[in-house]
Amino acid sequence: MVAAAVVRLVAAGEAVDNMMKTLLSAFTATLLMTTAIFAEPVTLELSGGKVWRGEIGQTVTVEVDERGKSVFIEGELTRATADYIMVGGELIFVNTIKGMKPDSAGEQEITPENDAEESEQDTSTPKESKSEAKEMKPLGDLPNGVFYLPMHQMVGTYFRPQEIRDLVGHIDENYGPGQIIVLEIDSGGGSVRKWSEIREVIFEARERHRFVAWITHAISGAAATAFLCDEIYYKTTGELGSITMYSGHIDNVSPDWQLLGWISELEGVLAKTSRTPLVAGCMVKNSFALSYDVDEETGEVTYYADLQGEHHLSRYDSNLTLGAEEAIHSGLGDGIADTKEELAAFLDLDEWVEYDTFGEDAAKSWWATLKEFEEVGPELQRQARGDVDGNTPRERINNQIDALQELLKWSKKLGETGEMMGFSDNAIDQIKRGIEDLKHQLRLLDD
């Protein structure tokens, strides 16, 4: 606080006497000494057999391998474990780090072009024994495994934001940041509004966790959900695409003004996840095209919003749905894995390990609840309309009231999904009024 106040005075051009200057110098010297004494040392084993040594609070530049390209992140090192570090507020997995260098005021900026020239300044050292290199203990032995959440059937009913929200909360409370969350997707799509809620949940959680989509079948809103993730892997027969928006019924495609807005929203999502925004248009409308070229030497993919590229994905004739092979070849997928063990290899894990079954248990529990309602709901609705058994008017009215009260209980049990199952606020009000009307009829019978 004292140093900050003094700096503000100097910046404002006000006079500072010798005593204040002396105080500032003494405070700064004391601060540096204290930092030196209490700074926590850090030792990290990097890819390529190097070991980096530094300390918490140090300003560093980190070279990260992101989808085969070098990305440079600069900032203060605020947290470090054997598996991940935090630099400038960014969570970085250690197994993606290609190099780290300390920053100083006069140090040359690190770029892919001059990185080789500065290699002598890198504080990394030849790989030492594993016991020496692993001085930093991981928090909860992370991430040696994954958290697995199956996302199946209709978006908005079986496939919901709630299970993602619950799983993230469970992980944050019990395991901490830096986790791998695998969403296994098998869905033909559903509600755009519910997808928007899913987007908010995932994007907020992606600030501290790694989201992986594993695709069996991802169409429409399910495909849009996959695009929210950091990585997308396919099963051999997996497919993803056709994100057309409908109004009320599958035969009623939304008007162009809505589709263009939907395309714009998806383009923003794709840009945020480092994928070409050009894929959005051709998945939503068949009047868009997408082609690409692949540089044979570098493997770099160049996309075109027409057919000038050598490889054509969409040809103005149908909404794009990607198969596994073309997704990988076009740079729109990260790998093909048919088993959990194969997926683990892509995730740089020695084997497939699930820390617990919270995600899968939550999904199965919800699916069982919804399936039960799908079985009993139609009969309850029939009875609520007055189609009930009973030998007397009183018995029939009571049976109808029971059915309406059961529907009210289901509306609470279904929660956020109730609206999609017919429990809008208006419908719930009608149920309550119906119960009161029937109770009134019972009182009339007593008169």
Side-chain angles (χ1 to χ4, degrees):
M1 292 294 291
V2 175
V6 173
V7 171
R8 286 197 293 272
L9 289 173
V10 173
E14 298 185 12
V16 180
D17 59 23
N18 291 333
M19 183 177 68
M20 191 65 84
K21 290 180 180 178
T22 302
L23 177 59
L24 177 59
S25 298
F27 181 84
T28 303
T30 302
L31 179 62
L32 291 174
M33 184 182 299
T34 303
T35 301
I37 292 172
F38 293 103
E40 180 183 349
V42 175
T43 299
L44 297 170
E45 184 179 352
L46 309 182
S47 60
K50 292 183 178 181
V51 175
W52 184 88
R53 288 186 173 84
E55 59 188 28
I56 297 296
Q58 184 174 2
T59 301
V60 296
T61 296
V62 186
E63 181 182 2
V64 180
D65 183 356
E66 187 173 295
R67 301 179 184 277
K69 297 181 181 179
S70 288
V71 176
F72 294 84
I73 300 172
E74 300 179 8
E76 180 184 356
L77 177 63
T78 57
R79 190 174 187 182
T81 76
D83 300 298
Y84 67 88
I85 62 175
M86 297 289 292
V87 174
E90 296 283 338
L91 188 148
I92 304 170
F93 293 98
V94 172
N95 60 17
T96 67
I97 298 175
K98 298 171 68 176
M100 289 178 66
K101 292 177 171 60
D103 278 357
S104 63
E107 187 175 17
Q108 180 183 3
E109 182 182 358
I110 299 175
T111 65
E113 290 75 18
N114 63 30
D115 185 48
E117 299 175 6
E118 294 202 354
S119 60
E120 295 181 359
Q121 300 179 27
D122 198 322
T123 57
S124 301
T125 59
K127 185 175 182 180
E128 301 178 15
S129 68
K130 195 166 186 179
S131 60
E132 291 178 305
K134 285 284 186 178
E135 290 179 10
M136 294 301 299
K137 295 182 179 179
L139 300 179
D141 297 325
L142 309 174
N144 298 320
V146 306
F147 293 89
Y148 176 74
L149 178 61
M151 305 291 286
H152 295 179
Q153 300 190 56
M154 184 176 180
V155 176
T157 56
Y158 283 86
F159 182 134
R160 306 191 303 168
Q162 188 61 49
E163 279 61 56
I164 305 175
R165 191 180 295 117
D166 290 345
L167 176 58
V168 170
H170 167 74
I171 293 170
D172 287 343
E173 180 178 354
N174 296 284
Y175 297 90
Q179 306 307 315
I180 301 173
I181 300 174
V182 176
L183 305 181
E184 189 261 301
I185 299 177
D186 187 0
S187 166
S191 167
V192 171
R193 184 168 63 81
K194 285 299 178 184
W195 171 83
S196 295
E197 294 180 26
I198 292 171
R199 176 195 59 201
E200 298 307 315
V201 173
I202 291 180
F203 275 177
E204 189 277 332
R206 269 185 51 185
E207 296 178 3
R208 57 194 180 280
H209 301 299
R210 175 184 177 190
F211 275 81
V212 173
W214 190 21
I215 306 302
T216 299
H217 180 70
I219 302 300
S220 193
T225 299
F227 283 148
L228 300 171
C229 297
D230 298 284
E231 299 155 66
I232 301 176
Y233 297 94
Y234 288 74
K235 295 183 180 179
T236 299
T237 57
E239 54 183 357
L240 177 153
S242 294
I243 315 180
T244 298
M245 181 185 288
Y246 299 94
S247 295
H249 192 275
I250 195 169
D251 294 327
N252 185 25
V253 177
S254 296
D256 280 352
W257 66 269
Q258 278 189 322
L259 294 180
L260 293 175
W262 180 221
I263 289 171
S264 179
E265 188 167 5
L266 288 173
E267 287 174 340
V269 166
L270 288 159
K272 188 168 183 177
T273 52
S274 302
R275 300 182 182 94
T276 176
L278 295 178
V279 75
C282 57
M283 283 193 173
V284 175
K285 283 178 64 66
N286 59 18
S287 57
F288 287 76
L290 179 63
S291 64
Y292 66 97
D293 290 325
V294 181
D295 188 301
E296 294 183 1
E297 294 184 1
T298 66
E300 182 177 354
V301 180
T302 302
Y303 301 95
Y304 309 96
D306 52 33
L307 300 179
Q308 65 175 293
E310 178 183 359
H311 307 281
H312 296 175
L313 286 175
S314 182
R315 305 175 180 81
Y316 302 110
D317 55 1
S318 62
N319 290 19
L320 173 62
T321 296
L322 290 168
E325 292 290 347
E326 61 183 350
I328 304 308
H329 188 263
S330 64
L332 296 172
D334 296 288
I336 297 175
D338 287 319
T339 66
K340 292 178 176 179
E341 288 70 25
E342 290 173 352
L343 182 58
F346 280 114
L347 302 180
D348 298 319
L349 301 174
D350 294 333
E351 58 182 335
W352 178 271
V353 175
E354 295 177 31
Y355 286 115
D356 60 37
T357 60
F358 184 95
E360 194 163 8
D361 291 344
K364 289 181 177 179
S365 174
W366 169 246
W367 295 348
T369 296
L370 192 56
K371 184 175 182 180
E372 182 183 354
F373 175 73
E374 290 175 341
E375 292 173 351
V376 304
E379 175 62 19
L380 288 174
Q381 290 165 343
R382 181 184 67 80
Q383 293 176 4
R385 291 191 295 268
D387 186 2
V388 293
D389 296 329
N391 297 321
T392 66
R394 177 178 294 278
E395 188 176 345
R396 288 192 291 273
I397 290 174
N398 278 320
N399 288 340
Q400 190 176 357
I401 289 174
D402 289 344
L404 288 166
Q405 289 175 333
E406 280 299 308
L407 287 175
L408 273 184
K409 291 178 183 178
W410 272 107
S411 72
K412 294 177 181 179
K413 188 181 294 188
L414 295 176
E416 66 177 36
T417 309
E419 186 174 0
M420 294 192 66
M421 306 303 294
F423 291 106
S424 65
D425 290 343
N426 184 57
I428 292 173
D429 287 341
Q430 288 181 349
I431 291 174
K432 292 178 179 178
R433 287 196 299 270
I435 292 172
E436 294 304 316
D437 289 342
L438 290 168
K439 288 181 177 179
H440 179 68
Q441 291 181 36
L442 286 177
R443 288 193 293 271
L444 291 177
L445 289 178
D446 294 332
D447 292 341

